[in-house]
Amino acid sequence: MKVKDQEIVRRFHSDPDKFRLALLCGPNATRCQALVDELVAPMAKTAERVDLSISDLNDNPARLNDEANSASLFGDKRYIVLRLNSGEAIRAAAAIENLLDSESKGDPVFIVAAGMADKTALAKRLAAAPDAVIATCYETTIGEAAAAISGMARAEGLSMSRDIALSIAGLTSNDMVLAKIEIEKITLYLDASPDQPQKVDAGILALLGAENDEEDLGLLYNAALSGEAAKLSAELATVKMIGFSEIGLIRLMLSHLNKLADLRAKADKGARMDTLMRSVFFKDKDNIARQLGIWSASNIARLIERILSLEVALKSSGQPNGVLVEQELLTIVRKAARSR
């Protein structure tokens, strides 16, 4: 069954026993991941989660179906999350087909396949399957983002003009996950609720807006990706004093890495650097150019997989989130420094 991205969570939750597989594809990687997080949320508190990647399926196409039909160690409900980076869906097609052909339904499987087009043979097979659901996540326009932000704000008891919603959309690059974090921040600051609505004005947005946060977090991941160890250490010391959103950092870094991957692919096909830089925001040009000289396409793909795995660890590890993020950034900066 093929549905729109804004419908997939409602469709799945309305009859979860109907579906054995849900797949999110398309160019908007953060939207794909956010929707999978919403899909698994009811199970996450009580069921066992099993994470897989393409490396788990390369030599064993039956692994996905085997995991879906394996009993939990304690007999609990399980669910499987499979993350596929750009281009990996083709390599995973046999494993997914094997799951769909299985006579035993097993535990639900959720697949994040950012970059996969919805016109492929695999996508068409999923759309035709009665026990599978697929949705495509397109890049969000600023108008669509502003409308969604206004809706999120109303649900939290915030009253804001369209201009304010447009400003939040711009500050968060139309990323609904980051926009939701901003709405939650403003809600807490104003002590708003549906029963006690509060108005959001430009002054509050200037005080709490994402622009400074985004710049601060950008300094962190750009220092790491550029191999600048001393700069990264200084920035980590600064943000430790004021705190930062670890999930916000992950979302921004994933967006940056997906942009870097796209540019790396074009460069490998012979595109000139000056041509590539035309699509890059002027503040990011130096960082992007430096990082394209450090990271290969395969290493960027592995980085994306590591950052997605970091998000899972943040939700399941007993360690403080800041420690896990710092460890990953330090690992990245050492790798980048060796490749400079």
Side-chain angles (χ1 to χ4, degrees):
M1 176 188 299
K2 184 176 181 180
V3 300
K4 294 182 178 179
D5 60 336
Q6 61 265 36
E7 296 177 357
I8 189 170
V9 174
R10 177 183 60 80
R11 286 288 191 96
F12 188 91
H13 288 170
S14 67
D15 191 4
D17 293 334
K18 176 180 179 180
F19 302 104
R20 70 167 68 195
L21 184 150
L23 184 144
L24 279 302
C25 64
N28 194 334
T30 55
R31 175 73 169 155
C32 290
Q33 181 58 48
L35 287 175
V36 166
D37 288 344
E38 289 186 45
L39 285 167
V40 306
M43 292 173 279
K45 295 180 181 178
T46 57
E48 178 188 352
R49 173 175 176 145
V50 178
D51 284 279
L52 299 176
S53 67
I54 191 64
S55 60
D56 299 306
L57 308 179
N58 278 336
D59 299 325
N60 185 9
R63 172 78 181 276
L64 185 61
N65 185 57
D66 290 345
E67 288 290 352
N69 288 282
S70 296
S72 166
L73 181 63
F74 301 103
D76 298 327
K77 182 75 175 175
R78 305 163 80 243
Y79 64 96
I80 292 87
V81 177
L82 170 63
R83 287 191 175 87
L84 302 172
N85 295 327
S86 181
E88 292 180 347
I90 295 176
R91 294 159 57 193
I96 296 171
E97 294 271 2
N98 189 49
L99 174 71
L100 292 175
D101 290 337
S102 174
E103 294 182 0
S104 55
K105 183 177 178 182
D107 294 312
V109 175
F110 303 90
I111 303 178
V112 181
M116 172 183 156
D118 58 5
K119 306 300 183 185
T120 63
L122 177 60
K124 291 176 181 178
R125 169 72 195 278
L126 290 168
D131 55 355
V133 60
I134 179 173
T136 305
C137 299
Y138 298 103
E139 295 295 347
T140 307
T141 67
I142 192 165
E144 292 168 340
I149 289 166
S150 295
M152 286 190 290
R154 284 194 299 272
E156 296 293 339
L158 297 174
S159 172
M160 65 174 60
S161 67
R162 178 171 169 78
D163 285 344
I164 295 290
L166 285 168
S167 295
I168 294 175
L171 292 174
T172 56
S173 301
N174 302 342
D175 188 318
M176 291 299 95
V177 177
L178 296 179
K180 186 176 182 181
I181 292 172
E182 292 307 306
I183 293 297
E184 291 172 349
K185 191 193 318 181
I186 295 170
T187 301
L188 288 171
Y189 181 78
L190 293 177
D191 194 23
S193 70
D195 296 330
Q196 292 183 308
Q198 300 292 333
K199 185 174 182 178
V200 182
D201 59 32
I204 293 171
L205 189 60
L207 178 65
L208 300 178
E211 186 170 28
N212 291 332
D213 290 347
E214 186 169 335
E215 288 183 1
D216 290 343
L217 296 178
L219 291 172
L220 279 177
Y221 65 71
N222 275 311
L225 292 169
S226 298
E228 298 173 326
K231 185 175 181 180
L232 175 63
S233 296
E235 295 301 334
L236 282 171
T238 299
V239 298
K240 279 181 183 178
M241 293 188 293
I242 60 176
F244 67 98
S245 167
E246 289 86 1
I247 294 298
L249 172 64
I250 285 172
R251 299 301 186 185
L252 287 170
M253 193 169 181
L254 282 173
S255 178
H256 181 86
L257 286 171
N258 278 292
K259 178 69 172 177
L260 196 65
D262 180 60
L263 294 172
R264 177 73 270 165
K266 291 176 180 176
D268 289 345
K269 291 178 181 178
R272 291 164 50 92
M273 185 63 69
D274 57 346
T275 302
L276 293 176
M277 289 299 110
R278 290 174 190 167
S279 64
V280 178
F281 185 53
F282 75 94
K283 288 185 177 180
D284 294 332
K285 288 183 184 293
D286 289 344
N287 288 319
I288 289 288
R290 187 180 306 114
Q291 291 157 20
L292 284 174
I294 294 174
W295 297 95
S296 66
S298 59
N299 282 337
I300 294 171
R302 282 193 286 271
L303 260 181
I304 291 172
E305 186 173 325
R306 286 182 66 96
I307 299 304
L308 287 169
S309 297
L310 176 61
E311 183 174 1
V312 175
L314 291 181
K315 297 173 182 177
S316 59
S317 172
Q319 296 188 59
N321 289 350
V323 172
L324 293 175
V325 170
E326 181 175 348
Q327 288 174 345
E328 185 62 28
L329 290 172
L330 291 172
T331 298
I332 292 170
V333 78
R334 286 193 290 269
K335 167 66 175 173
R338 290 195 297 268
S339 303
R340 287 173 65 178

